[in-house]
């Protein structure tokens, strides 16, 4: 499908923005072609902009026998300005059966994954209204969860159904109808899931009650009292058993609940001791866990794991590392269970602070990838965290910018994880004060508490609180693929130095060792001179900066 004129404008805007930043020429490929469906999914359309989500009640029945989901979603919303058409989203093969408001079925027009509902009652500014969306079908099966979205239908070792959702990127509308854009979150949500008797469904928030139904099913009701992003909503169905503990945290007692398959109970009781250690480290660096009211849960699932809010999913095989491997190659990655630490870290960066547009997904993944190092720093010392971060540089591809294209549901390079973590580690060196850096991380989670944000907001906050102009710093690491090179040359008395392989007007302080003695330089793209440096002096850049090795030029 050819891009619509609106999508062409989106592509042109993104390209011009990159060109203005001096980074466009570094992209290895042409801008992708976007479709009307990309725009309908990725932008705040007029049919989305006029109403603000207040509350969802997702009330569904899940049938593992035929891999179907059916039910309804009640949507409560506040009218921001008068408008009579509402966009809702649901992806095939799921089907929207009908939409009802005030007992009357409404006219609905489908355009691919988007459904446009014509409202009959005048929508008056300030009004709090609701409607019910009835739907059903066989949702998309995830072929590679959690990286491909959909539902995973498996069976455990006893032959019991083992079912879970995972849908970041592809969208929650893969399995339930919603306003499928990250900028708007409901203030609270009730999740009611009916499953065959003998199975348990675990979702987000706290369990309110369990109802035994005459049709041989049990309905589990879970209530989320905090704002929640769409992709963070989940269902997890299995032959679960439960155990838990209370953690004394910064805001009081935190309920930590664990739901695991029956045969894994004893193994989980031993292995999940990483949870209190995780909370200790992450509350220290990031501030209080953001969802005390909704508790914290680890839920075993038939895939690797994901950061569903207050319902973190786990499938790392009860072993340390990432599926038993140390991604850094340093040995430090085997000191903790990657999934427990990383996915829990997302409770702060993803679920507390959430991107408005998936193009800014680095806000989730860069800070959370760095949380692994901060965990090590807290429990094993700063050197351990440093070595782990530096070790993961070998995974960085520098294939395309970390920031994607806006308004078309397009994320940037996977480098947002480990390059993003190294960018933050570099920023930490520039701050050169760990208590100040810690205060900035905690401040982000306090000042953007339960908010959706943009890159500009996060960049601006970091610049303001570090006291530095970080414009070119972020242009270099988020919008460019080159790694800075420090060039230098010497004569008998002086050392000259500058940054190359960088965006225009790039400036960044760097710590170097001259004959082993630590010295700070303030290079830009023009030559600067450090006087009274003996000829033959060796120069080595502090390895905590994510730059290439210094390049010595002939004088």
């Amino acid at each position: 499908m050819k891009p619509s004129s609106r999508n062409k404008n989106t592509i042109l805007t993104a390209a011009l923005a990159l060109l203005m930043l001096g980074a466009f020429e570094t992209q290895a490929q042409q801008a992708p072609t976007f479709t009307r469906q990309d725009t309908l999914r990725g932008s705040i359309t007029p049919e989305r902009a006029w109403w603000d989500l207040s509350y969802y009640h997702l009330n569904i029945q899940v049938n593992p026998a035929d891999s179907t989901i059916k039910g309804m979603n009640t949507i409560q919303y506040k009218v921001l300005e008068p408008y009579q058409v509402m966009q809702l989203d649901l992806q095939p093969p799921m089907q929207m059966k009908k939409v009802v408001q005030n007992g009357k079925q409404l006219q609905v027009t489908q355009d691919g994954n988007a459904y446009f509902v014509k409202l009959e009652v005048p929508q008056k500014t300030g009004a709090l209204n609701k409607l019910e969306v009835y739907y059903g079908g066989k949702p998309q099966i995830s072929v590679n969860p959690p990286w491909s979205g959909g539902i995973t239908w498996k069976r455990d070792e006893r032959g019991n159904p083992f079912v879970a959702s995972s849908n970041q990127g592809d969208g929650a509308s893969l399995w339930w109808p919603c306003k499928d854009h990250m900028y708007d979150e409901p203030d609270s949500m009730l999740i009611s899931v009916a499953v065959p008797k003998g199975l348990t469904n675990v979702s987000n928030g706290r369990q309110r009650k369990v109802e035994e139904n005459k049709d041989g099913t049990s309905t589990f009701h879970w209530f989320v009292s905090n704002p929640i992003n769409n992709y963070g909503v989940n269902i997890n169905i299995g032959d679960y058993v439960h155990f838990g503990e209370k953690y004394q945290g910064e805001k009081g007692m935190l309920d930590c609940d664990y739901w695991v398959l029956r045969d894994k109970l004893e193994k989980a009781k031993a292995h999940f001791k990483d949870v209190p250690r995780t909370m200790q480290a992450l509350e220290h660096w990031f501030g209080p866990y953001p969802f005390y009211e909704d508790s914290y849960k680890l839920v075993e699932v038939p895939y690797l794991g994901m950061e569903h809010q207050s319902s973190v999913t786990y499938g790392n095989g009860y072993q340390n590392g990432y599926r038993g491997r140390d991604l850094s190659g340093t040995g430090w990655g085997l000191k903790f269970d990657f999934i427990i630490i990383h996915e829990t870290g997302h409770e702060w960066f993803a679920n507390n602070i959430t991107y408005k547009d998936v193009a800014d997904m680095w806000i989730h993944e860069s800070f959370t990838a760095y949380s692994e190092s901060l965990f090590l720093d807290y429990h094993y010392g700063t050197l351990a965290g440093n070595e782990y971060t530096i070790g993961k540089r070998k995974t960085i591809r520098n294939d395309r910018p970390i920031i994607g294209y806006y308004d078309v549901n397009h994320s940037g390079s996977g480098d947002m994880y480990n390059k993003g973590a190294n960018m933050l580690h570099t920023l930490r060196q520039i701050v050169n004060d760990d208590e100040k850096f810690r205060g900035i991380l905690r401040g982000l989670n306090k000042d953007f508490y339960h908010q959706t944000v943009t890159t500009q907001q996060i960049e601006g906050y970091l610049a303001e609180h570090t006291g530095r102009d970080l414009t070119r710093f972020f242009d270099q690491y988020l919008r460019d693929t080159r790694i800075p090179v420090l060039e230098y040359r010497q004569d008998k008395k002086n050392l000259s130095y500058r940054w190359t392989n960088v965006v225009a007007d790039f400036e960044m302080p760097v710590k170097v060792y001259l004959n082993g003695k630590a010295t700070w330089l303030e290079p830009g793209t023009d030559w600067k001179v450090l006087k009274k440096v003996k000829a033959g002096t060796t120069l080595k850049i502090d390895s905590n900066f994510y730059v290439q090795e210094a390049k010595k030029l002939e004088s």
Side-chain angles (χ1 to χ4, degrees):
M1 181 184 294
K2 293 182 179 179
S4 67
S5 59
R6 182 172 185 174
N7 283 316
K8 288 179 181 177
N9 290 335
T10 300
I11 296 169
L12 180 60
T13 300
L16 286 174
L18 286 169
L19 183 61
M20 290 172 62
L21 295 171
F24 187 74
E25 73 272 16
T26 70
Q27 286 192 280
Q29 70 255 8
Q30 296 281 331
T33 298
F34 296 110
T35 68
R36 171 172 168 77
Q37 285 300 306
D38 293 324
T39 296
L40 288 176
R41 171 68 203 290
S43 63
I44 304 174
T45 62
E47 292 79 15
R48 283 172 167 162
W50 66 271
W51 57 287
D52 178 58
L53 272 171
S54 174
Y55 172 77
Y56 283 135
H57 178 195
L58 181 62
N59 189 359
I60 61 174
Q61 181 171 337
V62 180
N63 187 358
D66 61 5
S67 303
T68 61
I69 297 177
K70 66 178 181 180
M72 62 179 289
N73 187 21
T74 300
I75 302 173
Q76 182 175 284
Y77 62 94
K78 182 178 181 180
V79 179
L80 302 178
E81 57 181 320
Y83 207 81
Q84 294 302 125
V85 180
M86 171 184 286
Q87 178 183 336
L88 299 174
D89 305 283
L90 185 65
Q91 299 179 41
M94 301 301 283
Q95 296 180 337
M96 196 174 290
K97 307 295 186 181
K98 63 179 179 179
V99 180
V100 175
Q101 187 166 53
N102 298 331
K104 188 170 184 180
Q105 186 169 338
L106 302 176
Q107 179 181 331
V108 180
T109 303
Q110 182 179 0
D111 185 348
N113 300 334
Y115 289 77
F116 294 94
V117 182
K118 186 176 181 181
L119 303 170
E120 295 187 0
V121 175
Q123 303 295 301
K124 298 181 180 180
T125 301
L128 192 64
N129 299 332
K130 69 177 181 178
L131 49 74
E132 297 88 37
V133 183
Y134 295 82
Y135 78 108
K138 290 188 175 182
Q140 176 176 302
I141 295 173
S142 177
V143 296
N144 187 27
W147 296 279
S148 69
I151 305 296
T152 300
W153 307 91
K154 297 286 187 181
R155 289 190 176 270
D156 66 19
E157 294 176 0
R158 297 184 176 214
N160 297 305
F162 195 20
V163 181
S165 61
S166 57
N167 49 253
Q168 184 180 14
D170 293 301
S173 56
L174 281 172
W175 63 278
W176 61 287
C178 57
K179 186 181 192 178
D180 205 359
H181 193 288
M182 298 291 289
Y183 88 100
D184 193 9
E185 301 178 350
D187 301 322
S188 59
M189 182 172 184
L190 179 62
I191 306 165
S192 302
V193 182
V195 298
K197 188 169 292 188
L199 298 176
T200 297
N201 173 72
V202 182
S203 290
N204 315 78
R206 293 185 183 271
Q207 184 174 289
R208 278 190 164 177
K209 62 179 179 178
V210 180
E211 289 182 302
E212 301 300 333
N213 306 314
K214 294 181 180 179
D215 63 357
T217 64
S218 304
T219 301
F220 294 82
H221 299 273
W222 295 85
F223 182 70
V224 183
S225 62
N226 289 296
I228 184 169
N229 62 61
N230 286 328
Y231 87 79
V233 176
N234 71 345
I235 54 172
N236 306 287
I237 300 164
D239 181 25
Y240 285 124
V241 292
H242 166 262
F243 69 102
E245 62 184 317
K246 292 185 182 295
Y247 172 74
Q248 179 62 55
E250 290 194 14
K251 288 180 67 175
M253 297 302 293
L254 173 63
D255 292 320
C256 297
D257 294 292
Y258 311 119
W259 296 84
V260 300
L261 292 180
R262 191 171 302 277
D263 293 340
K264 302 295 177 59
L265 178 60
E266 294 308 314
K267 187 176 288 188
K269 283 182 177 179
H271 194 73
F272 285 1
K273 290 179 181 178
D274 252 358
V275 171
R277 294 206 308 151
T278 301
M279 287 297 172
Q280 288 170 357
L282 298 189
E283 283 205 328
H284 171 82
W285 284 103
F286 294 158
Y289 173 73
F291 306 105
Y292 272 74
E293 301 85 357
D294 291 326
S295 78
Y296 170 87
K297 292 188 293 298
L298 264 185
V299 187
E300 185 174 2
V301 291
Y303 64 87
L304 184 61
M306 203 171 145
E307 67 263 26
H308 304 102
Q309 182 174 312
S310 70
S311 181
V312 173
T313 50
Y314 176 84
N316 199 36
Y318 299 98
Q319 59 190 326
N320 280 355
Y322 179 92
R323 290 175 166 162
R325 295 185 294 115
D326 173 15
L327 298 179
S328 74
T330 64
W332 291 116
L334 296 178
K335 296 291 186 181
F336 61 92
D337 186 311
F338 177 95
I339 291 300
I340 293 178
I341 278 69
H342 182 91
E343 306 306 343
T344 301
H346 274 308
E347 294 280 38
W348 285 264
F349 291 96
N351 298 335
N352 184 39
I353 302 174
T354 308
Y355 57 69
K356 285 186 177 179
D357 191 298
V358 72
D360 292 336
M361 190 174 172
W362 75 272
I363 297 170
H364 294 195
E365 300 301 349
S366 298
F367 284 96
T368 303
Y370 196 46
S371 74
E372 302 155 27
S373 301
L374 296 175
F375 172 89
L376 286 168
D377 187 304
Y378 182 87
H379 287 290
Y380 299 97
T382 301
L383 181 62
N386 292 352
E387 290 179 352
Y388 179 81
T389 300
I390 294 167
K392 290 209 293 180
R393 288 177 188 170
K394 64 180 180 292
T395 68
I396 299 172
R397 295 171 296 173
N398 283 306
D399 56 344
R400 57 193 177 98
I402 286 176
I403 291 181
Y405 292 91
Y406 291 95
D407 299 321
V408 286
N409 195 46
H410 182 277
S411 60
S413 168
D415 282 345
M416 68 180 76
Y417 290 82
N418 295 330
K419 182 178 179 180
N422 272 279
M423 174 189 72
L424 294 173
H425 190 58
T426 299
L427 181 60
R428 178 180 174 184
Q429 311 314 308
I430 294 170
V431 172
N432 198 28
D433 181 336
D434 275 359
E435 278 307 300
K436 181 177 180 180
F437 184 72
R438 174 179 170 236
I440 292 170
L441 296 176
R442 291 173 66 94
L444 281 167
N445 280 281
K446 179 181 178 182
D447 293 351
F448 294 112
Y449 185 71
H450 291 177
Q451 294 182 36
T452 59
V453 300
T454 65
T455 279
Q456 288 70 30
Q457 286 176 286
I458 299 301
E459 288 182 20
Y461 188 95
L462 292 172
E464 177 185 355
H465 289 82
T466 59
R468 300 194 69 99
D469 182 352
L470 297 174
T471 304
R472 298 307 180 196
F473 175 85
F474 288 118
D475 288 349
Q476 182 70 38
Y477 287 105
L478 295 178
R479 301 176 179 89
D480 200 282
T481 59
R482 294 170 292 177
I483 307 173
V485 175
L486 182 68
E487 289 186 343
Y488 72 101
R489 62 192 181 199
Q490 286 182 270
D491 56 26
K492 293 181 179 180
K493 297 181 179 180
N494 303 317
L495 182 144
S496 301
Y497 57 91
R498 69 176 179 182
W499 288 118
T500 61
N501 208 42
V502 291
V503 298
D505 302 320
F506 180 74
E507 293 182 338
M508 184 178 75
V510 63
K511 186 179 182 181
V512 302
Y513 296 92
L514 300 178
N515 286 343
K517 182 179 179 181
T519 304
W520 281 90
L521 302 178
E522 292 271 354
T525 51
D526 295 326
W527 287 104
K528 291 185 177 181
V529 177
L530 184 64
K531 295 183 179 180
K532 297 182 180 180
V533 177
K534 294 179 180 179
T537 295
T538 61
L539 185 152
K540 184 177 182 345
I541 300 174
D542 188 307
S543 59
N544 290 298
F545 288 79
Y546 180 54
V547 297
Q548 296 190 52
E549 289 186 12
K551 182 178 180 181
K552 185 176 182 180
L553 304 179
E554 295 299 325
S555 300

